[in-house]
Structure formats: structure tokens, C-alpha cells
Amino acid sequence: MGQQVRDGFVELYGTEPEGVWSAPGRVNLIGEHTDYNDGFVMPFALPHTAVAAVSRRTDGVLRLHSADVDGGVVELRLDELTPEADRAWTAYPSGVLWALREAGHAVTGADIHLSSTVPAGAGLSSSAALEVVVALAVNDLFELGLERGQLARLCQRAENVYVGAPTGIMDQTASACCEDGHALFLDTRDLSQKQIPLDLAAEGMRLLVVDTQVKHSHSEGEYGKRRAGCEKGAALLGVDALRDVPYGELDAALARLGDEEEVVRLVRHVVTEDERVERVVSLLESGDTRAIGPVLVEGHASLRDDFRISCPELDLVVDTALASGALGARMTGGGFGGSAIVLADVADVDTITKAVEEAFAAAGFTAPRVFEAVPSPGARRLA
């Protein structure tokens, strides 16, 4: 896709770009809604990427174009960029330049042409891919010298402040830092990372992503309500973040919350989910990959019953896949739609896929999109 994006840039702007970059979407193996609670997550990069052809400008102008969106080139002035003023796709790349400039970096403008194969609204971090690919390109072209973790932080600030979506740091870090053939064990408090080998094919297994085609948006209110509830729980328990509630002391902590029923549910999910991430890491490092299946199922039940962010389509994927022989399954991403993941033996993939498709048809749901998730490289320069 890199050559197509380069050719598109030439057609739009009449000159060759200075370079072409890519950044992937991600799927989260385990660790949902823990990142903004200073907890643990375990994503890996998908082969689906956002690709950007970019050249510098010196006149304070930002020109943006997407091959995936109807419309022409959008021209903006960097000194007029205003948080939460833009509700279109352009908010993500322009927010990155706003965040870089706000942090004191001398960015003087750019011509950018983008295209992405990351499904939008599917819980696979299409927005983070757009942010990270632009950040990496601008970092390289303007020789800002920022490390991957710093770029991820700036991209998160762009999404939190400029776009107005209260997301954690996982998505941007995954897109920027994941490695081919590995899942990323990330401590979102100190951003320490450990690359965990994940070669399911070598063990006769596959991880499927089932995109329910139910769209969601993190900038809408339900995500923010969950985050506010978690912050309330931490305050009531007298800790900096729910990460600081020990798993072994969970029952006592919940008892201290009294009749705060909603907060109790949120706290229980986050604390048990952090423990599930650590359990999955231990199982993968010990070579017992097949045993992570039941942990995924536990995670889905917690997201469905305690965090209450599932939907009928996601539940149908999980229930149908498990009934058809899957080793494990759960929703992934922010919730309220998006995608589920299914861990399965190779021999069962076709049976499970057919069963899920038939179940959706019988329920009158839009046909799902099913594809294999293979741990892939993080953001990089293509040319």
C-alpha cells in the first residue's frame, strides 16, 4: 500500500513526498479498561495499518487528505488549531501537530496523504494508527529526536485533549512499540515494556478477530462515565489508581465501598483484569498457551457483567464460538460494539467461523467480518 499512497501524494500535491510511513492497528489479547487505571495491558499489532506520505512545509499550513474519505484536501493553519473544534477524521492527524507544537517542538507545517486498512469503529485502534503514523513521520522529518514512548504520550494527549476522547495510553503505545511475532506486556504506570513471544501458528492455533460491524466512538459519554467511576472508586479507597488495590485484598476493598454498587462493579473488573493479564503472561512464558483460553472467557464475563460494556452481538460471538469448540473468546477494545477475539485450534477455525456467521444471520444482525490476527510489526518508515 506504500506505493499507492506515495502515488496518491504525487497526484494531489504535484511533487514526491519526503517519505512514507506506516503504523498498525492493534488487538488487545487481555487487559481491558486497565490502562487509564495505571494497570497492565497486553496488546499486539495487527497487519492492518495506516500509511502516510508526508512532506514538510515552512508556512504554518497543514494540508490533509485521506484516500478513504470522500472530499478533497483539507487545509488548516497550525496557529488556528483549537481543541475539540474538529469532529471529523482530520482531528486525529491535526491533533498530533497541535500536541507537538504545544509541547514546544518546532513543527512548521506539512502536506499529508493518508490511507488505512484498519477497520474504523471496530475496537482495533484505527484512530491511534492515524495519530502514530503522523507523529512518527513528523518526528523523522523535523528531526525532533523523540523516542517511541514519548510519541505515544503526545498522541494520547492529542486524542484526550484535542479530540476529546478520554482514552488511556495503550493504543498509541501498541501502535508505536509492538514487535513482529510478540505481544506487548505494558505497565501503563511507568510504561515499562516486555515483549512476550506469541507464535500461535507454531502450536496449531489461530486467533480470530470477529468485527461485529457495530460501530462505537470513544468520545461519546459511556466510556467517560466508566473512567469517572473508576476514579471515584480510587478516591473512595484512598489510592492513586485502582492499580494500587491488591488482588488479594479485593473483597475487603469492595466491602469498604458499601452501597456504591456501580463503583463496586467497576473496581472489581479492573482489579481482577490486572490479575488476568499477569496470569496470561505467566502462562505464555511457561509455554502453556492453550491455557489462556479460559482466562479470556473470564475477561469477557467481567466486561459484560461488571463493566457492562458488551452488546448482544459481542455476546453472540463469544457464546457461539465457545459452543463450537473455541478454546477461549472475549470482546476486545473499548466496548459498546467493535470486535471480539476467538482462540481456536486450526482444525476448528472454519467450523467456528461458519457458526458465528450463521448465528448472526439467524439473529438478523449485520454479517460480521472475520479475519486472523497475526502479531505484526509496530510503526516504521517504509520509504
Side-chain angles (χ1 to χ4, degrees):
M1 191 168 71
Q3 186 61 48
Q4 290 178 324
V5 175
R6 174 186 285 276
D7 293 344
F9 184 100
V10 173
E11 184 177 344
L12 283 166
Y13 301 120
T15 184
E16 288 281 340
E18 292 185 81
V20 181
W21 291 260
S22 76
R26 65 97 189 98
V27 66
N28 195 23
L29 184 64
I30 192 75
E32 222 64 79
H33 288 270
T34 49
D35 58 346
Y36 55 79
N37 289 291
D38 282 2
F40 304 124
V41 294
M42 199 174 185
F44 63 84
L46 289 168
H48 306 73
T49 60
V51 177
V54 186
S55 286
R56 289 168 289 181
R57 297 180 66 97
T58 59
D59 57 359
V61 170
L62 172 63
R63 293 197 294 180
L64 297 166
H65 185 270
S66 171
D68 311 313
V69 179
D70 291 336
V73 174
V74 177
E75 185 169 313
L76 304 166
R77 289 205 56 84
L78 295 181
D79 55 9
E80 295 175 357
L81 296 179
T82 304
E84 298 196 53
D86 184 357
R87 290 298 179 189
W89 69 270
T90 49
Y92 298 101
S94 62
V96 169
L97 271 72
W98 170 85
L100 286 166
R101 284 167 56 87
E102 190 199 39
H105 299 290
V107 178
T108 56
D111 288 337
I112 301 175
H113 175 55
L114 290 150
S115 186
S116 178
T117 58
V118 185
L124 303 174
S125 298
S126 58
S127 59
L130 284 179
E131 293 158 357
V132 170
V133 73
V134 170
L136 184 61
V138 172
N139 184 57
D140 286 355
L141 290 177
F142 286 92
E143 299 180 342
L144 303 181
L146 297 171
E147 297 179 353
R148 295 299 180 96
Q150 293 173 297
L151 292 177
R153 280 285 192 201
L154 285 164
C155 289
Q156 182 199 13
R157 179 161 178 76
E159 187 145 353
N160 289 173
V161 179
Y162 193 85
V163 178
T167 55
I169 190 62
M170 173 181 65
D171 296 350
Q172 293 83 4
T173 304
S175 186
C177 301
C178 279
E179 294 182 4
D180 193 20
H182 292 76
L184 177 68
F185 176 37
L186 173 67
D187 182 333
T188 65
R189 170 163 283 170
D190 61 13
L191 297 187
S192 58
Q193 304 176 14
K194 187 175 185 180
Q195 301 287 344
I196 308 294
L198 185 63
D199 187 356
L200 296 173
E203 301 185 56
M205 289 177 281
R206 298 286 187 272
L207 190 75
L208 303 177
V209 174
V210 182
D211 177 4
T212 65
Q213 307 283 351
V214 178
K215 303 302 180 186
H216 70 149
S217 173
H218 281 165
S219 56
E220 294 176 358
E222 291 299 322
Y223 187 101
K225 289 179 184 177
R226 301 305 189 281
R227 182 164 185 166
C230 290
E231 291 168 353
K232 180 179 179 180
L236 290 172
L237 293 170
V239 294
D240 291 336
L242 294 183
R243 148 75 172 276
D244 298 311
V245 179
Y247 177 72
E249 299 174 17
L250 176 59
D251 288 344
L254 297 181
R256 288 167 54 198
L257 294 172
D259 60 358
E260 293 277 359
E261 180 184 348
E262 182 177 358
V263 176
V264 165
R265 289 190 287 98
L266 298 178
V267 171
R268 183 166 52 220
H269 166 72
V270 173
V271 176
T272 58
E273 187 79 346
D274 274 335
E275 188 273 339
R276 282 187 285 273
V277 177
E278 292 184 292
R279 216 183 327 155
V280 167
V281 171
S282 178
L283 289 168
L284 290 177
E285 289 186 326
S286 67
D288 196 5
T289 305
R290 184 173 298 268
I292 73 172
V295 189
L296 303 184
V297 179
E298 288 177 30
H300 182 77
S302 183
L303 290 162
R304 180 192 64 212
D305 300 336
D306 276 343
F307 231 67
R308 299 188 180 180
I309 57 170
S310 191
C311 66
E313 291 86 350
L314 288 167
D315 293 340
L316 185 60
V317 174
V318 172
D319 293 344
T320 304
L322 294 174
S324 304
L327 301 169
R330 73 172 190 91
M331 60 156 286
T332 187
F336 312 106
S339 298
I341 56 173
V342 177
L343 180 68
D345 286 314
V346 172
D348 296 328
V349 165
D350 290 345
T351 299
I352 292 168
T353 300
K354 182 179 179 182
V356 169
E357 291 171 344
E358 289 178 347
F360 268 55
F365 296 152
T366 300
R369 178 187 180 208
V370 184
F371 59 90
E372 183 182 351
V374 179
S376 299
R380 61 202 189 280
R381 186 167 186 164
L382 299 179

